[in-house]
């Protein structure tokens, strides 16, 4: 949003408070805190959901699935989860940024740097894949018969 406002300010020659360095720094600090909160929430959710499937993984091992096959399945799930998350997040961002851009510039197309989009995808991959695979490795370990026969938890 800041880049869209800066683009509009340059195009019209107007100096607005949106482009002041102190305002931009404050927005970036706020965004950084929100990203950290979102990262912790995402990792906690993925680890809890994957660890909760321990009995499912044990049953798959008992019917003949190998640890390697389970890890391949978890890898595919992690990639699909990342892709769906990025696409849904992009959809929400396009709606919000488009509304802001339309209000400021009159066009629904916001000014978005390509590098920022790339970093969002990299961040999603770095958060999702290790969280799912790490908790999956822990959940797959141990004796499958004990996991299935014992209490859930």
């Amino acid at each position: 949003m800041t880049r869209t406002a800066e683009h509009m300010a340059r195009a019209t020659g107007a100096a607005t408070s949106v482009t002041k360095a102190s305002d931009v720094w404050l927005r970036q600090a706020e965004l950084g805190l929100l990203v950290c909160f979102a990262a912790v929430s995402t990792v906690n959710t993925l680890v809890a959901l994957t660890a909760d499937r321990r009995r499912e993984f044990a049953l798959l091992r008992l019917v003949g699935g190998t640890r390697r096959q389970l890890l391949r399945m978890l890898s595919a799930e992690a990639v699909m989860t990342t892709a769906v998350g990025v696409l849904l997040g992009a959809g929400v961002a396009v709606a919000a940024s488009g509304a802001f851009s339309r209000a400021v510039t009159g066009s629904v197309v916001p000014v978005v740097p390509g590098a920022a989009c790339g970093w969002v995808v990299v961040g999603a991959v770095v958060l999702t894949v290790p969280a799912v695979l790490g908790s999956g490795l822990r959940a797959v370990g141990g004796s499958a018969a004990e996991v299935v026969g014992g209490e859930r938890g």
Side-chain angles (χ1 to χ4, degrees), residues 31-152:
L31 181 62
L33 290 173
L34 290 171
V35 166
C36 289
F37 175 75
V40 169
S41 305
T42 300
V43 169
N44 280 341
T45 301
L46 290 171
V47 167
L49 289 173
T50 305
D52 194 42
R53 296 171 58 196
R54 187 170 182 183
R55 286 176 58 105
E56 174 188 338
F57 299 148
L59 284 171
L60 287 171
R61 285 189 39 224
L62 286 175
V63 297
T66 65
R67 284 190 171 127
R68 185 175 179 195
Q69 288 172 328
L70 289 175
L71 290 177
R72 276 198 328 241
M73 176 192 73
L74 282 169
S75 298
E77 287 179 5
V79 169
M80 286 188 292
T81 301
T82 302
V84 169
V86 167
L87 290 174
L88 290 176
V92 170
V94 163
S97 298
F100 176 78
S101 180
R102 178 147 173 97
V104 173
T105 66
S107 169
V108 293
V109 180
V111 178
V112 180
C117 295
W119 282 111
V120 168
V121 173
V122 168
V125 170
V126 166
L127 286 174
T128 305
V129 174
V132 170
L133 290 180
S135 58
L137 279 171
R138 184 166 163 81
V140 168
S143 170
E146 287 177 13
V147 172
V148 171
E151 287 289 319
R152 185 174 186 176

